[in-house]
Amino acid sequence: MATRPALAPRFGRLKRRFATLATATALGLLLSPAQADDRALREALDAARQQQWSRIDAAAIDGHVLEGYVEYHRLKARLPAAEPAEVLAFIERHQDSPLAGWMRNQAIGQYGEAGLPGRLLAVSAGAPEGTERQCYYYAALLDRDPEEATRGGLTLWHAGRSQPDACDPLFSALRARGVIGDGETWERLMLAWKAGESGLAGYLGRQLGSDWQPALDAYERVRGDYAAIADVAPRLGDHPATPGLVSAAMHGLTRADTATALDTWQRLAPRLTLGDERRQGIERDLAFYSLVREIPANRAWVDATLPRLATGDLLELRVRVALGEQDWRGVRDWIALMPDDTRGDSRWQYWQGRALAQLGDPQGAQAAYARAAEGRSFFAFAAADRLDRPYALSEERHHYSEAQRREVAQWPVVRRTEALRRIDEPGLANSEWLGAVASADGETARRLADYAASQGWHAELVQTTIAGRMWDALAWRFPAAYRDSFRRWGADAGVDAYLLMAIARRESAYNPHALSPAGARGLMQLMPGTATLVSRRLGIADPGPYGVLEPELNIRLGSAYIGEMLERYSGNRLAAAAAYNAGPGRVDRWLRDAPREFDLFVESIPFRETRAYVQAIMTYRVIFESLANGGESRGIALLSASEANGRYDTSLLARQ
């Protein structure tokens, strides 16, 4: 008798399932148990998102691996009324899933909005992500830990843009406690000015006391004429507003007129007390824009100042200027000043070798090339070519048995990921998978990567190697995804399949649904307009913005387009890859003033993104071909003879 109440729900559940099966059989739609469970879960999840609880058949999804997703929406809908204990219990049950973090964030946000600081702190686990939640968190923490709340609140305050309304109670409390005063308000006003947020700057100015009126008058003068800071700052004198005003005005003047900015700074600097951090910030700005804009009048000051600033990014820029001028002594000397971690990069060791060779030190050049060739990059491979040695791939391979893969298949995160894929929730599936990789130890992450490889999850596999920092696991980082399609359409367009694979790997990391902020789509990131033009030239129907996402068609169109670029640049892959990324019009212009040699051409590309893109494409192509060759790079070349020895100028243009 005691067992009957426990059996009753099970009996009812079975009865409903038999009824479902009978209906499906009558319709000729008999599903497997797994398919039926997934369909029920899919329907329940859709209902939960719409808070239509009466549509959910709890018995049909009982025990499903994704049941927690429905539970998540149910509990979220009850916030902020739900007790912290319920939230914490949910987090504990789902601690190996993104659901735990999502629920914590939901609770913090809703408890904060409802003004329930005790509940918020009960479910928090330190400062949360997101500005709004951080404002709620630090406001709740003001009485419990005022020191931490003050630090966090000031960090949020020092922003040049408006913060969410959720931050207002925190900022008001910090004002009432004297933490945010006129000095802090002025600093934020300067940040808003630099960010172009005139509305916020005006609001902050109205919060200042009468003692700050001279500073506001100075700000109004300089706001319309940055160069006026040369007269305004000395008049303002040692007012606490002076350092911030000078820093913000010099930032604007440097961007607007770098030559005038340097002249202004040289007159002002000896007369001001700014502090080292502000001075260095102003001088870094001046050095950067002087180099980027190639202002000859500023060169002597830049060269005298750089050794004192000694930042890797500025020294890299200075070396690139020296390379553009083919000032080999300067290349050598500026590289020598780089921080150790920057100077040791294969790129800069390669250029050190080039400089030493040009300066008549072949032994030093060989040593620098040897150091460069230890890496796995465009310039590392170029250095290996100069030494006539194979490329150092440094590949790391891992092998797991089918029995081990079956074990991984039973891990909860894998079961959830596969179920989410089955019900067409790729975003949630990706969150589950990458969340597991990010929190896994090295061996666990490698087993997940192996499983993704075994399932042909190419995009997930690449992302797994990134999240797991598996830089030497080349077979996983560069899977031969869509290989047959690349071979087919590469042959049709007269393009090397390995080059196509390299482009797709760089462009989308094999995500066929990839969509860039600019609107490029699919595996090979084609703009809809480009896809239309290429389709027309091929004599096929325009795929439209969604049809271009279809992998086979995307590969066909991308192959044809890079084929056109290769034809345009006489088969030169460096120029063609640059055009694929930045557009042929720009590459045509760059070739008019380009250095004659391949390495100088690559380094002279003015767009950082395109410069990195060209190097990556050629490096990836070598890796793909080497992997197809059993991991052996002998006989594989980074560049063809014409690419390595030819001229990089308008003679590359096949159509002029």
Side-chain angles (χ1 to χ4, degrees):
M1 296 292 292
T3 60
R4 292 186 65 182
L7 287 173
R10 290 181 59 198
F11 203 63
R13 192 156 61 242
L14 287 171
K15 189 175 180 181
R16 281 190 293 274
R17 285 192 178 178
F18 276 124
T20 300
L21 288 172
T23 302
T25 301
L27 295 173
L29 301 172
L30 184 59
L31 304 174
S32 71
Q35 290 174 314
D37 288 348
D38 285 344
R39 188 177 68 178
L41 193 287
R42 169 79 273 169
E43 293 171 353
L45 184 56
D46 288 342
R49 285 169 169 159
Q50 301 172 55
Q51 297 188 32
Q52 296 177 353
W53 312 116
S54 62
R55 287 178 48 206
I56 297 175
D57 184 348
I61 65 171
D62 183 31
H64 194 285
V65 69
L66 299 179
E67 186 178 8
Y69 279 83
V70 177
E71 182 187 357
Y72 166 80
H73 286 283
R74 194 185 294 275
L75 180 55
K76 184 179 78 167
R78 293 180 50 234
L79 289 170
E83 295 289 336
E86 294 180 77
V87 173
L88 291 171
F90 179 93
I91 291 171
E92 177 66 23
R93 283 196 302 277
H94 301 285
Q95 59 183 317
D96 67 335
S97 167
L99 288 169
W102 298 341
M103 179 53 67
R104 193 187 304 276
N105 285 338
Q106 287 289 335
I108 288 172
Q110 296 206 40
Y111 287 151
E113 185 177 4
L116 300 169
R119 291 190 171 198
L120 186 157
L121 293 176
V123 302
S124 68
E129 295 180 351
T131 299
E132 186 172 289
R133 286 189 292 270
Q134 287 176 7
C135 284
Y136 286 140
Y137 172 76
Y138 288 120
L141 204 61
L142 277 167
D143 293 328
R144 182 178 298 184
D145 190 343
E147 187 175 338
E148 183 183 350
T150 295
R151 282 196 303 270
L154 285 177
T155 298
L156 292 163
W157 172 258
H158 287 123
R161 302 189 183 279
S162 296
Q163 297 287 46
D165 292 345
C167 297
D168 291 348
L170 172 63
F171 294 157
S172 295
L174 292 176
R175 280 198 192 91
R177 297 181 182 211
V179 173
I180 294 177
D182 284 349
E184 297 291 341
T185 300
W186 179 261
E187 287 299 322
R188 191 175 182 201
L189 191 160
M190 293 295 99
L191 291 172
W193 179 30
K194 289 170 71 172
E197 293 286 333
S198 57
L200 175 60
Y203 166 79
L204 291 166
R206 292 190 292 274
Q207 310 306 306
L208 293 168
S210 58
D211 291 347
W212 289 75
Q213 190 57 49
L216 286 171
D217 293 341
Y219 161 64
E220 287 299 327
R221 168 83 192 283
V222 176
R223 188 163 64 119
D225 178 11
Y226 292 125
I229 192 65
D231 298 322
V232 167
R235 292 178 186 173
L236 194 58
D238 61 357
H239 192 285
T242 303
L245 181 66
V246 171
S247 178
M250 284 303 305
H251 177 76
L253 182 57
T254 299
R255 297 180 68 182
D257 185 346
T258 309
T260 299
L262 178 58
D263 178 66
T264 301
W265 175 243
Q266 288 178 314
R267 288 188 287 123
L268 266 180
R271 305 164 63 187
L272 298 173
T273 302
L274 294 180
D276 290 344
E277 186 175 349
R278 289 191 194 273
R279 282 182 178 273
Q280 289 177 9
I282 291 169
E283 291 182 344
R284 278 196 295 269
D285 264 3
L286 281 166
F288 174 81
Y289 283 101
S290 295
L291 290 170
V292 168
R293 292 173 175 169
E294 300 179 359
I295 301 175
N298 290 14
R299 178 67 62 80
W301 177 87
V302 169
D303 287 355
T305 304
L306 280 184
R308 177 163 48 80
L309 297 176
T311 59
D313 57 340
L314 287 176
L315 288 168
E316 287 185 26
L317 186 54
R318 184 63 183 87
V319 173
R320 292 191 64 245
V321 170
L323 286 169
E325 297 170 349
Q326 297 193 42
D327 169 17
W328 297 108
R329 192 176 301 278
V331 171
R332 179 197 63 188
D333 294 344
W334 290 115
I335 289 176
L337 288 177
M338 287 178 170
D340 291 346
D341 57 342
T342 304
R343 187 175 62 253
D345 185 86
S346 291
R347 176 186 180 189
W348 303 117
Q349 285 301 304
Y350 173 87
W351 285 117
Q352 187 77 307
R354 283 278 272 129
L356 292 171
Q358 291 289 329
L359 294 170
D361 183 1
Q363 189 172 0
Q366 293 287 300
Y369 287 144
R371 290 190 295 271
E374 294 173 1
R376 187 176 56 232
S377 66
F378 179 85
F379 284 109
F381 293 169
D385 285 344
R386 290 188 179 274
L387 297 171
D388 194 24
R389 62 173 63 169
Y391 306 135
L393 296 182
S394 303
E395 184 184 6
E396 179 184 278
R397 289 183 178 266
H398 302 278
H399 301 281
Y400 295 95
S401 67
E402 286 302 319
Q404 288 174 305
R405 288 172 185 154
R406 286 194 294 272
E407 180 184 334
V408 172
Q410 296 307 310
W411 291 357
V413 65
V414 176
R415 295 180 61 220
R416 289 194 299 270
T417 299
E418 293 192 321
L420 286 164
R421 291 170 66 94
R422 290 197 305 268
I423 66 169
D424 195 27
E425 290 283 353
L428 294 179
N430 201 45
S431 295
E432 280 278 358
W433 187 266
L434 294 183
V437 175
S439 62
D441 59 54
E443 175 62 13
T444 301
R446 286 189 290 272
R447 293 188 68 178
L448 287 169
D450 171 76
Y451 188 81
S454 72
Q455 299 301 303
W457 298 350
H458 304 302
E460 290 83 353
L461 175 58
V462 171
Q463 292 302 319
T464 299
T465 64
I466 295 170
R469 304 180 67 81
M470 305 174 200
W471 310 129
D472 294 330
L474 300 185
W476 289 342
R477 287 185 62 201
F478 300 94
Y482 306 98
R483 178 168 51 192
D484 291 343
S485 296
F486 285 119
R487 285 175 173 169
R488 175 187 178 187
W489 296 116
D492 188 69
V495 182
D496 169 28
Y498 298 122
L499 179 66
L500 297 175
M501 293 166 72
I503 291 172
R505 171 62 175 78
R506 176 70 177 189
E507 290 283 0
S508 66
Y510 289 142
N511 178 4
H513 306 292
L515 178 63
S516 79
R521 293 168 177 262
L523 289 171
M524 300 191 73
Q525 287 291 276
L526 292 169
M527 294 295 291
T530 301
T532 297
L533 291 174
V534 175
S535 298
R536 188 176 301 153
R537 287 195 283 268
L538 292 175
I540 62 177
D542 182 352
Y546 298 102
V548 75
L549 292 171
E550 197 278 316
E552 189 77 8
L553 182 57
N554 192 277
I555 291 171
R556 181 183 183 183
L557 297 176
S559 300
Y561 183 62
I562 189 65
E564 292 176 3
M565 295 302 100
L566 286 165
E567 182 181 350
R568 183 186 188 100
Y569 299 108
S570 306
N572 187 285
R573 293 171 297 177
L574 298 177
Y580 195 94
N581 178 259
R586 290 192 177 99
V587 176
D588 290 355
R589 291 194 296 274
W590 297 341
L591 287 171
R592 294 189 195 117
D593 301 313
R596 296 291 179 89
E597 294 154 288
F598 82 87
D599 49 6
L600 288 169
F601 167 71
V602 170
E603 197 65 72
S604 73
I605 293 173
F607 292 177
R608 178 191 292 268
E609 177 193 333
T610 305
R611 197 163 60 245
Y613 181 89
V614 170
Q615 295 175 50
I617 293 302
M618 299 305 291
T619 303
Y620 290 2
R621 203 215 71 81
V622 167
I623 292 172
F624 275 118
E625 186 175 3
S626 298
L627 289 172
N629 195 35
E632 175 59 63
S633 68
R634 292 181 188 277
I636 295 171
L638 175 69
L639 303 171
S640 67
S642 62
E643 288 167 341
N645 303 313
R647 291 167 48 186
Y648 284 78
D649 56 22
T650 53
S651 66
L652 278 182
L653 288 167
R655 291 180 288 175
Q656 302 193 36

